[in-house]
Amino acid sequence: MKIEIHDTFESKLPEGDTHPYRSGAWRPQHVEYDAYELDVVEGEIPDDLEGTYLRNTENPLLPPISRYHPFDGDGVLHSITFGGGEAQYHNRFVRTDGFELEREAGEHLFAGAAENPKLAKRECSLGARPNMKDASSTDIVVHNGRALSSFWMCGDLYAFDPVTMESLGKADFGGAFPKEGVSAHPKIDEHTGEMLFFNYGTEAPYMHYGVVDAEGRLAHYIDVPLPGPRLPHDMAFTERFAILNDCPMFWHPDLLKRGHYVTTFFPDMPTRFAIVPRRGETSEIKWFEADPTFVLHWINAYEDGDEVVLDGFFQENPSPDRREAESVEDAMFRYLDLHSMGAKAHRWRFDLKTGETKEEHLSDTIQEFGMINGRYGGRKHRYSYNALPAKGWFGFEGLIKQDVETGREEVVRLPEGTYASETVMAPRAGSSAEDDGYLITYTMDVVNDRSECLILDAASPSAGPVARVSLPERICSGTHAFWHGTAAS
Ligand SMILES: [Fe+2]
């Protein structure tokens, strides 16, 4: 492996840090690498694997004002690019406006997710919550040839070359980037080249939905009026429709009036879904109701006759019970334990003619962070590749391939002390079957202090690695990933 250090940043975090989301699988990085001719420690990189696996992670350099939440960390993007049986790797901090201001100040200036916004030493109005740093550390997609990182509380989209991770500034949507920002989880339709997105906030109409065309220009932007501020995290689409959601878990309105951002589940309220033609107007939104829950991530959606079918992860207990003698930190981290929340694969069917909703679990296995073959986005899919959450904290012990036609689940469990990232499906060059390709993830091995890129056969992931490729350094666990394929289909 040829490793070049691109840049090194000073970390002011304590030596021997024991914070659960700044240690172990979540230990932050502070070095940027360019690495070529990566070492393959098992198997071979397939010749028909062509494209880039991108990942976003949270990496704080500075102690918080008072309390660190893992989603406050500065974004570090990772790319590993395959072609001709070889791999190269690059990682870069997202040099957000907030990142630069805090580096200059040498201290945390903005309030995090677990802190009162009044604690901030500097004001900031971009995003759903005031005085929060848009860390651009949640999600990453590739659109119009550029990698775009995004933030869960809305903000800018920072642009990069998807292979080298060279900064390309911010997305401006042809001069029409919304002043409300863009939420994490914009969706790419591989068939049209469009990017669909949403944002949310504390000012009416509380949500917007938009479409960016294949050339990166804002083509459509509408209000999605809600009864009050909400916390949608993800959206879905079919060939003709976009699907937005209003789950009954949001900042308590009475406390919000006093400036406290306290996420609260309202079990007597329904979950509501907005289904709107992809270029439709606000007046064309059809609303559906379903059982109360909070859904962090959707898997996919598609049309089936008069019905829109939506798969995602239903939380049976979105607001887990307090534990005995719980610290403020522990109370906050309950919302990161997907086992406590009971996240299960679930299917909603919305009848566009009658307005009725039907819903059912697809499985009783706790799972989340579902990915599909991107060519099936908005189209009927059979397989999803979902993360297998660890118990009691936010980490992934492996992955599950779920076949929604037969109900079969194939589980890949990693060795004790090794954790997976969100796993993408990379179709093989020239593939035609939905699961003809590779599953790609990064691992965090805290026992041997190393990270690898793990490549599995998507048709039979439990058969063992196709290849294991070394990375220069152990990465931080982080959240979302994306596959940018460059092979002809
Ligand atoms: Fe997410």
Side-chain angles (χ1 to χ4, degrees):
M1 177 163 25
K2 289 185 191 160
I3 300 177
E4 295 161 17
I5 291 179
H6 177 261
D7 211 342
T8 302
F9 295 85
E10 185 193 358
S11 170
K12 292 194 174 173
L13 296 176
E15 286 278 326
D17 199 351
T18 55
H19 188 287
Y21 293 100
R22 291 190 314 235
S23 60
W26 283 81
R27 185 185 65 193
Q29 286 183 278
H30 55 273
V31 179
E32 294 178 334
Y33 298 96
D34 297 306
Y36 303 88
E37 299 170 26
L38 301 185
D39 295 338
V40 180
V41 291
E42 181 180 347
E44 279 181 20
I45 297 170
D47 286 335
D48 54 6
L49 176 59
E50 294 173 27
T52 303
Y53 172 51
L54 295 131
R55 179 151 178 80
N56 203 339
T57 56
E58 287 95 350
N59 294 254
L61 291 170
L62 299 166
I65 294 173
S66 63
R67 277 187 218 118
Y68 178 68
H69 185 285
F71 299 166
D72 299 337
D74 295 299
V76 169
L77 308 177
H78 305 264
S79 79
I80 184 166
T81 301
F82 303 99
E86 295 216 340
Q88 58 175 295
Y89 164 89
H90 307 268
N91 73 319
R92 293 289 185 274
F93 272 93
V94 187
R95 290 155 167 78
T96 63
D97 297 342
F99 176 81
E100 296 290 17
L101 286 167
E102 288 185 336
R103 272 184 68 214
E104 223 170 86
E107 63 172 347
H108 234 283
L109 298 173
F110 300 97
E115 295 172 324
N116 190 304
K118 289 181 192 133
L119 288 177
K121 296 172 184 170
R122 197 173 169 120
E123 291 190 348
C124 171
S125 60
L126 179 65
R129 240 181 102 124
N131 300 349
M132 194 173 199
K133 178 172 56 176
D134 165 14
S136 211
S137 55
T138 310
D139 195 13
I140 186 161
V141 297
V142 176
H143 181 243
N144 187 28
R146 305 196 306 167
L148 302 172
S149 61
S150 55
F151 189 53
W152 65 304
M153 280 286 160
C154 304
D156 284 312
L157 297 177
Y158 287 85
F160 298 84
D161 179 292
V163 175
T164 64
M165 293 280 99
E166 178 200 351
S167 172
L168 300 172
K170 294 177 188 176
D172 78 344
F173 294 180
F177 193 85
K179 68 180 188 324
E180 297 86 0
V182 169
S183 172
H185 295 301
K187 297 290 164 187
I188 307 299
D189 185 334
E190 290 191 14
H191 297 263
T192 66
E194 292 169 304
M195 180 169 76
L196 315 181
F197 72 91
F198 69 100
N199 59 39
Y200 60 97
T202 50
E203 282 179 28
Y206 307 111
M207 182 157 42
H208 299 90
Y209 154 71
V211 182
V212 181
D213 67 20
E215 286 74 44
R217 295 174 301 235
L218 186 69
H220 191 64
Y221 190 63
I222 63 165
D223 292 354
V224 182
L226 299 176
R230 295 291 186 266
L231 293 168
H233 182 73
D234 193 5
M235 65 169 290
F237 68 96
T238 71
E239 285 185 72
R240 291 186 297 152
F241 299 103
I243 307 168
L244 293 311
N245 64 91
D246 167 6
C247 290
M249 190 158 89
F250 45 87
W251 292 314
H252 196 294
D254 298 341
L255 299 171
L256 190 57
K257 281 183 203 141
R258 303 206 294 270
H260 299 290
Y261 290 72
V262 181
T263 304
T264 309
F265 182 54
F266 296 89
D268 298 327
M269 293 177 69
T271 299
R272 300 196 316 140
F273 294 88
I275 300 186
V276 61
R278 279 168 54 160
R279 300 277 179 120
E281 298 303 323
T282 302
S283 60
E284 294 177 83
I285 297 172
K286 280 199 170 100
W287 286 97
F288 293 78
E289 292 193 353
D291 288 347
T293 187
F294 185 77
V295 177
L296 196 58
H297 299 115
W298 310 104
I299 299 168
N300 191 32
Y302 58 90
E303 294 155 40
D304 182 11
D306 290 331
E307 289 184 319
V308 166
V309 180
L310 172 65
D311 288 359
F313 298 99
F314 184 100
Q315 294 181 4
E316 294 189 328
N317 188 17
S319 183
D321 297 336
R322 292 186 76 93
R323 295 166 188 157
E324 269 180 54
E326 193 175 62
S327 67
V328 174
E329 268 81 6
D330 288 341
M332 182 168 89
F333 299 151
R334 271 189 281 137
Y335 292 90
L336 296 168
D337 174 9
L338 292 159
H339 277 270
S340 291
M341 293 186 286
K344 293 181 176 176
H346 193 79
R347 173 164 288 177
W348 292 260
R349 298 185 84 98
F350 307 107
D351 190 319
L352 297 170
K353 281 248 168 80
T354 66
E356 281 177 16
T357 307
K358 287 186 212 144
E359 56 183 305
E360 59 179 347
H361 280 344
L362 294 171
S363 161
D364 275 326
T365 308
I366 301 296
Q367 49 194 307
E368 239 284 1
F369 286 76
M371 299 293 265
I372 59 165
N373 178 334
R375 291 174 192 167
Y376 291 76
R379 282 82 183 157
K380 187 175 182 183
H381 70 283
R382 177 171 174 179
Y383 303 107
S384 67
Y385 310 93
N386 312 326
L388 190 66
K391 270 191 186 150
W393 62 288
F394 183 26
F396 304 139
E397 293 177 342
L399 62 102
I400 301 173
K401 176 185 181 183
Q402 188 176 65
D403 179 342
V404 286
E405 269 183 26
T406 64
R408 182 170 180 266
E409 290 183 328
E410 191 172 341
V411 172
V412 178
R413 219 172 263 282
L414 298 180
E416 179 108 24
T418 300
Y419 302 94
S421 302
E422 185 171 62
T423 301
V424 297
M425 194 282 175
R428 194 191 305 274
S431 73
S432 53
E434 185 182 331
D435 64 349
D436 184 12
Y438 303 97
L439 301 185
I440 303 176
T441 196
Y442 288 138
T443 60
M444 284 70 58
D445 175 349
V446 298
V447 176
N448 299 299
D449 191 17
R450 51 184 279 113
S451 273
E452 295 174 354
C453 179
L454 175 63
I455 304 170
L456 303 168
D457 182 348
S460 54
S462 57
V466 170
R468 289 168 43 213
V469 183
S470 289
L471 301 187
E473 184 183 37
R474 194 172 98 212
I475 71 165
C476 176
S477 190
T479 46
H480 289 293
F482 188 82
W483 172 251
H484 174 52
T486 50
S489 49

